[in-house]
Amino acid sequence: MEFKHISVMLEECIDALDIKEDGIYVDCTLGGAGHSLEILKRLSPKGRLIGIDQDVDALNAAKEKIKDYNNVTFVHDNFYNIEAILKKLNIEKVDGIFMDLGVSSYQLDNAERGFSYMRDAPLDMRMDRSKGITAFDVVNNYEEEQIAQVLRNYGEEKFSKRIANFIIDRRPINTTLELVNVIDAAIPAKFKRDGGHPAKRTFQGIRIEVNGELKILDKAIEDGIGRLNSGGRMGIITFQSLEDRIVKVKFKSLEDPCKCPKELPMCVCNKKPIVKLISRKPIRATEEELEINSRSRSAKLRVAQKI
């Protein structure tokens, strides 16, 4: 299947990174290489791009798309390991880091990956298919309360307990559409179109659990910021509120790391700001982009610059 993916807020991301032509940049979620290609266009032969992705299909597609560039290093890994990745490459500091979080259009459209609630496939949902638990493991092996917790905490599903109960009652569940049918039966009719497809939140919750998406983010941001040169920037696109909240809180803590009690008249912990925020509010897609790419509707771009 051809790797098709429309890069979200492409111009805004490139502008936010403030690219230096001889700089070193890291694309933590290489995907279809849309953002990486634009970064490479702005780099001189002395510049360098590190492209990271845990999805082998994405890496192979990216290698083909940007094959004309010789200043790219491809890394099959999770960006959670950015510190170890850069250390292994003998790179002390970089000038920019970019993350495009969530699932790609290719992963959703490729039925066999099991990400979509619109196509029948084995329950997988792993971004790195070489390791880790699958959606099948979560659905069929977790205890009822564990499933409910996943759906509640990661999917923000208000019917998490009821859906978990139905899942337990109807196991084994082998495919995505079997799971959709269970969810459909669990949610009361009058709520089924409240907020989109009734399976949307459950699939999001299971996918996040399978890939540990939220667990890795805080450390990855901190490690990445630690590897930025002074003036270097980190840009992160999120597509749901849980991710965005983590990014927002982490950037704010790095901007104002003081831990002194508020009642003290002055700071005595001597912790200095590590970053400054480029924009107080997240950058959103333009109306023009929304018309051609519906996925950009929920996207938020936050940018921090190393002091």
Side-chain angles (χ1 to χ4, degrees):
M1 181 177 179
E2 185 181 354
F3 200 109
K4 293 182 178 179
H5 180 69
I6 302 175
S7 299
V8 171
M9 289 193 283
L10 184 58
E11 291 184 12
E12 291 86 346
C13 292
I14 299 303
D15 289 344
L17 288 174
D18 191 27
I19 295 169
K20 301 174 177 64
E21 64 175 12
D22 294 339
I24 302 175
Y25 292 84
V26 181
D27 187 340
C28 290
T29 47
L30 189 58
H35 292 99
S36 281
L37 177 59
E38 292 304 315
I39 293 172
L40 286 165
K41 288 178 180 178
R42 290 160 176 77
L43 293 180
S44 73
K46 294 181 180 179
R48 185 175 180 185
L49 174 73
I50 314 301
I52 305 170
D53 209 296
Q54 60 182 327
D55 189 327
V56 172
D57 292 342
L59 276 177
N60 290 336
K63 287 176 182 178
E64 179 62 27
K65 185 167 185 176
I66 52 181
K67 62 184 179 182
D68 294 334
Y69 292 88
N70 299 316
N71 51 347
V72 186
T73 301
F74 297 97
V75 179
H76 177 220
D77 206 337
N78 191 307
F79 65 77
Y80 175 79
N81 300 314
I82 186 170
E83 176 81 17
I85 291 168
L86 294 177
K87 185 176 181 180
K88 186 176 181 180
L89 294 173
N90 294 315
I91 297 174
E92 183 65 29
K93 297 288 184 180
V94 300
D95 298 288
I97 298 172
F98 175 69
M99 302 178 189
D100 181 356
L101 304 180
V103 62
S104 72
S105 301
Y106 169 81
Q107 289 165 332
L108 285 172
D109 294 339
N110 189 348
E112 69 178 39
R113 302 297 296 271
F115 287 103
S116 175
Y117 43 76
M118 302 297 290
R119 297 172 173 83
D120 201 22
L123 284 168
D124 193 328
M125 299 194 196
R126 290 173 299 169
M127 292 182 181
D128 183 348
R129 290 192 284 179
S130 68
K131 58 188 176 183
I133 63 170
T134 66
F136 179 91
D137 297 322
V138 174
V139 170
N140 290 284
N141 298 333
Y142 277 29
E143 299 292 336
E144 183 173 341
E145 179 51 39
Q146 286 180 292
I147 296 173
Q149 190 173 20
V150 166
L151 304 191
R152 180 173 59 251
N153 293 346
Y154 297 157
E156 298 180 293
E157 173 56 71
K158 60 184 176 183
F159 294 106
S160 57
K161 288 187 177 180
R162 184 173 169 85
I163 294 171
N165 180 263
F166 272 59
I167 287 173
I168 295 294
D169 186 58
R170 302 194 182 190
R171 295 196 305 202
I173 300 168
N174 297 298
T175 71
T176 52
L177 291 191
E178 285 180 22
L179 179 57
V180 168
N181 289 334
V182 173
I183 298 165
D184 189 60
I187 297 179
K190 64 179 180 179
F191 295 106
K192 284 182 180 175
R193 288 298 171 183
D194 181 17
H197 194 285
K200 179 180 178 181
R201 292 186 177 91
T202 293
F203 270 62
Q204 173 184 299
I206 295 172
R207 189 201 81 224
I208 290 174
E209 172 69 10
V210 166
N211 296 287
E213 295 173 38
L214 299 185
K215 296 175 183 177
I216 71 173
L217 195 48
D218 191 278
K219 182 179 183 296
I221 293 172
E222 186 159 342
D223 287 350
I225 292 292
R227 285 284 182 165
L228 282 176
N229 282 315
S230 178
R233 294 185 177 185
M234 174 180 283
I236 305 176
I237 296 181
T238 62
F239 291 91
Q240 41 100 344
S241 60
L242 297 173
E243 291 173 336
D244 182 62
R245 194 176 304 134
I246 291 173
V247 176
K248 178 182 178 180
V249 170
K250 190 62 180 180
F251 277 179
K252 183 173 177 57
S253 71
L254 293 171
E255 181 191 36
D256 182 15
C258 175
K259 302 297 182 184
C260 296
K262 292 183 179 180
E263 56 268 22
L264 289 181
M266 65 180 66
C267 173
V268 295
C269 71
N270 295 319
K271 292 187 176 181
K272 305 298 182 184
I274 299 168
V275 304
K276 69 175 182 179
L277 303 185
I278 298 303
S279 174
R280 287 289 158 191
K281 293 184 177 181
I283 300 167
R284 306 298 296 263
T286 63
E287 289 298 324
E288 291 77 13
E289 179 170 358
L290 292 175
E291 291 180 5
I292 62 173
N293 186 8
S294 60
R295 186 171 180 259
S296 65
R297 188 167 301 280
S298 60
K300 294 180 180 180
L301 170 64
R302 294 187 184 272
V303 187
Q305 180 171 299
K306 182 76 172 288
I307 294 175

